[in-house]
Amino acid sequence: MTTRTTTAAPPLARLLVAGSGIMMLANSISIPFLAVFLRRELGLEPGTIGFIVGSSVFFAIFAGLVGGSVSDVLGRTPLLLLSLLGVVVSFIGFYLSHSLVSVFVFNATLSLSSSSFGPVAKALLSDLLPQERRVKWFSYQYLAVNIGFSAGPMIGAFTGLSGGRETFLIAAAVYVGYFVLLGSAILLRPSGAAGPTRRTTEESKLFGQVLEGLRGSFRALATDRTLLCLIIAGLLLEAVHSKISGVLAQHLSLGFEDGVKILSYLLTTNAVTVVLFQLLASRISQRLEPVRSIVLGGLLMFGGMAGFGLSGQAWQFIVAMVVFSIGETFIIPAEFAIIDRIAPEDRRGSYFGAQTIAQLGGFVGPFAGGLILAWYGGTAMFFVLGSFALFSVLIYLVVGRRIPGLTRREEHTARKETVSHEQA
């Protein structure tokens, strides 16, 4: 009887996890090839394409910062369903778009909707499950996302859909199906089993807390030079890897007849490499301090970008992507570890909130890359963007020396001093 009581909610939890894979499948068939669509269908120039692809980052940051808090006011499930409808409208809008303005608008609504869904879905999953089972289910969700991202590009390429208008209609249809499934599951759920409901009496208080959190993040940036340097370094790394699919799509759509297929191979290679290498990378990172992990990851990412710039055949691009993806696996967890190390106990939320500003690199990369591609060509684009990783590595090496406990030499010295004091 106890087991049945504690597992009453998992049907909705399972649907949320499966839905993560379904949505990523639909996204990976369409969104990574947006640059191809903009070039082929609308005839836009690389700089303009980079601006549109990168601009989604601004809306994603805003939605990520406030989405979870807004769900505490409106309730989890209404915001989830509203976000799904926003995605459907955006995909249909892409299908109907023939102008720069309409593409920009629907790209913004897509970014707002999809970025709102992610944190709210995680919050709802936490509401549905006991604490001791959450980590396991979050790992299932991560696996589902990577399976969807691995399969989507290949399906799109081999069916001839990638980069075409029909892709957006198919993605919209997938989201409509998931909207119906999720809506039905919510209607049939046990009473009170889907997280907090709307709370009107606390709206002003909650939004005040959200604004205070934003102020706290900017205050941390203004008062802590070390944090500011780390955010700049993180932004440079984001410029390299955050929107790599858009950068590759522009390059491959200009000079390669089978560019769409090569791009699909690369996206699948990226997802598979990250999944397969993640465990080994985490074990290696445990033996290194965070700065050295980032140095290793940054050098590998530069090597991958240089490889892209020098590649002329599919297998060469794939090898470069493997190197690039391995570099990614070292960087992301190490960045969080360093921020955690410097954050005061009572301001940790503000420091991690400030770190989201580094996501602006997702705009810098595609936009700068598009301009360089138009003026100097693909090889120059990859080497210049790759050099951002080198500059970032240099910042981490300089700033890391000022952070106590980040080098094994410091830890070893501190340990020796502790032992000598105990012996005395």
Side-chain angles (χ1 to χ4, degrees), residues 229-365:
C229 290
L230 293 177
I231 296 301
I232 293 172
L235 188 150
L236 290 172
L237 287 176
E238 286 279 334
V240 180
H241 73 83
S242 176
K243 297 285 185 179
I244 187 62
S245 61
V247 173
L248 284 166
Q250 292 199 68
H251 176 63
L252 293 171
S253 65
L254 287 177
F256 297 82
E257 291 184 6
D258 54 349
V260 172
K261 278 194 175 182
I262 295 176
L263 179 60
S264 68
Y265 297 154
L266 296 180
L267 296 176
T268 299
T269 299
N270 176 253
V272 172
T273 303
V274 169
V275 171
L276 294 180
F277 197 78
Q278 187 71 54
L279 182 59
L280 178 59
S282 65
R283 290 179 178 175
I284 295 174
S285 296
Q286 287 175 3
R287 301 176 183 176
L288 302 172
E289 69 274 6
V291 169
R292 287 187 179 177
S293 293
I294 289 179
V295 170
L296 176 59
L299 293 176
L300 287 171
M301 282 176 55
F302 174 78
M305 294 294 280
F308 292 143
L310 298 174
S311 294
Q313 299 180 31
W315 70 267
Q316 295 170 332
F317 279 103
I318 290 172
V319 171
M321 179 56 84
V322 171
V323 174
F324 181 90
S325 303
I326 292 174
E328 268 189 291
T329 61
F330 283 104
I331 285 172
I332 295 174
E335 286 181 314
F336 283 105
I338 292 176
I339 296 296
D340 181 69
R341 192 73 60 89
I342 69 170
E345 197 71 33
D346 59 338
R347 299 176 66 192
R348 189 159 289 165
S350 295
Y351 272 61
F352 279 109
Q355 191 185 26
T356 61
I357 296 172
Q359 293 179 25
L360 292 174
F363 169 76
V364 174

Side-chain angles (χ1 to χ4, degrees), residues 68-239:
S69 298
V70 172
S71 73
D72 289 332
V73 176
L74 299 180
R76 309 270 193 248
T77 54
L79 190 56
L80 284 179
L81 296 177
L82 185 63
S83 298
L84 289 179
L85 284 178
V87 174
V88 171
V89 170
S90 301
F91 278 131
I92 295 175
F94 276 132
Y95 175 76
L96 298 174
S97 291
H98 290 86
S99 70
L100 174 62
V101 174
S102 60
V103 167
F104 178 82
V105 169
F106 289 118
N107 190 47
T109 58
L110 177 64
S111 183
L112 284 170
S113 300
S114 57
S115 298
S116 296
F117 186 93
V120 178
K122 285 183 172 61
L124 178 55
L125 199 58
S126 295
D127 295 335
L128 293 170
L129 297 167
Q131 187 171 0
E132 64 273 9
R133 298 176 62 192
R134 291 173 188 171
V135 173
K136 183 178 181 180
W137 280 80
F138 282 138
S139 66
Y140 289 159
Q141 189 178 43
Y142 177 77
L143 178 62
V145 165
N146 281 284
I147 290 174
F149 194 80
S150 300
M154 299 297 290
I155 294 173
F158 283 105
T159 55
L161 293 171
S162 299
R165 290 184 181 273
E166 301 81 4
T167 308
F168 298 115
L169 276 187
I170 293 173
V174 171
Y175 269 89
V176 168
Y178 183 57
F179 175 85
V180 172
L181 286 174
L182 185 61
S184 301
I186 290 170
L187 289 174
L188 297 174
R189 74 188 189 277
S191 178
T197 56
R198 180 186 176 113
R199 296 192 308 235
T200 57
T201 59
E202 298 182 5
E203 289 185 17
S204 59
K205 179 181 176 182
L206 185 62
F207 281 114
Q209 291 174 346
V210 173
L211 292 175
E212 179 57 34
L214 292 174
R215 281 195 294 266
S217 295
F218 286 109
R219 194 181 304 120
L221 274 175
T223 57
D224 191 330
R225 287 188 178 181
T226 298
L227 175 64
L228 179 60
C229 290
L230 293 177
I231 296 301
I232 293 172
L235 188 150
L236 290 172
L237 287 176
E238 286 279 334

Side-chain angles (χ1 to χ4, degrees), residues 1-120:
M1 294 294 290
T2 304
T3 303
R4 293 178 65 87
T5 301
T6 58
T7 59
L12 183 54
R14 286 195 292 269
L15 186 58
L16 285 172
V17 170
S20 298
I22 293 170
M23 291 186 297
M24 185 53 68
L25 180 67
N27 289 347
S28 61
I29 291 175
S30 54
I31 299 304
F33 301 93
L34 179 60
V36 178
F37 167 77
L38 296 175
R39 180 69 181 176
R40 287 182 180 176
E41 298 288 332
L42 301 185
L44 300 181
E45 294 301 316
T48 306
I49 294 173
F51 176 81
I52 292 176
V53 172
S55 65
S56 62
V57 172
F58 295 101
F59 304 102
I61 291 174
F62 175 79
L65 286 172
V66 305
S69 298
V70 172
S71 73
D72 289 332
V73 176
L74 299 180
R76 309 270 193 248
T77 54
L79 190 56
L80 284 179
L81 296 177
L82 185 63
S83 298
L84 289 179
L85 284 178
V87 174
V88 171
V89 170
S90 301
F91 278 131
I92 295 175
F94 276 132
Y95 175 76
L96 298 174
S97 291
H98 290 86
S99 70
L100 174 62
V101 174
S102 60
V103 167
F104 178 82
V105 169
F106 289 118
N107 190 47
T109 58
L110 177 64
S111 183
L112 284 170
S113 300
S114 57
S115 298
S116 296
F117 186 93
V120 178

